[in-house]
Amino acid sequence: MELARRERLTVRQLIGRLGGGRGHLTFAGTPEQVADTIGLWFASGAADGFNIMPAVLPSGLEAFVDHVVPILRARGLLRTEYGGARRTLRERYGLPRPANQHVIAPALV
């Protein structure tokens, strides 16, 4: 709050300042511009994933899903389905499921 008051920042400027200050690229634009930026970073190897942090929830996330995701899918940058029998990240990497620490094994009872 002190930074925002001292520098008379809007909420958008404050979010941009704080996000960028922690090493995150922050940007805004039309759906096409956002898809262009994501595509450029991905194609250049600068990123292998993205955290979407809309300024307003849930409407900002809904706008991204409704307007940017279809562009990314049309460009082949975002899959349309997650196929295969493996459902969890652990299964995808072939890692065993750890024993539940909160249940006593029947053999020990």
Side-chain angles (χ1 to χ4, degrees):
M1 292 298 291
E2 182 181 325
L3 174 66
R5 286 186 182 121
R6 183 177 64 242
E7 298 189 22
R8 297 179 182 229
L9 300 175
T10 66
V11 172
R12 181 183 301 261
Q13 291 168 327
L14 180 63
I15 290 169
R17 178 80 62 86
L18 295 177
R22 292 197 168 101
H24 297 284
L25 170 69
T26 59
F27 59 93
T30 67
E32 291 79 12
Q33 291 169 329
V34 171
D36 289 345
T37 302
I38 289 172
L40 177 64
W41 274 64
F42 178 75
S44 66
D48 60 2
F50 297 89
N51 292 316
I52 307 305
M53 300 183 293
V56 179
L57 288 172
S59 62
L61 186 56
E62 290 167 351
F64 181 84
V65 170
D66 291 343
H67 301 288
V68 179
V69 166
I71 296 169
L72 295 173
R73 285 185 171 161
R75 295 179 183 181
L77 296 173
L78 185 64
R79 64 178 108 190
T80 58
E81 294 182 21
Y82 290 83
R86 297 181 177 141
R87 298 184 327 244
T88 67
L89 182 61
R90 181 179 303 283
E91 291 169 333
R92 292 180 62 85
Y93 284 119
L95 299 172
R97 174 178 267 172
N100 187 331
Q101 299 174 14
H102 304 286
V103 175
I104 299 173
L108 301 175
V109 177

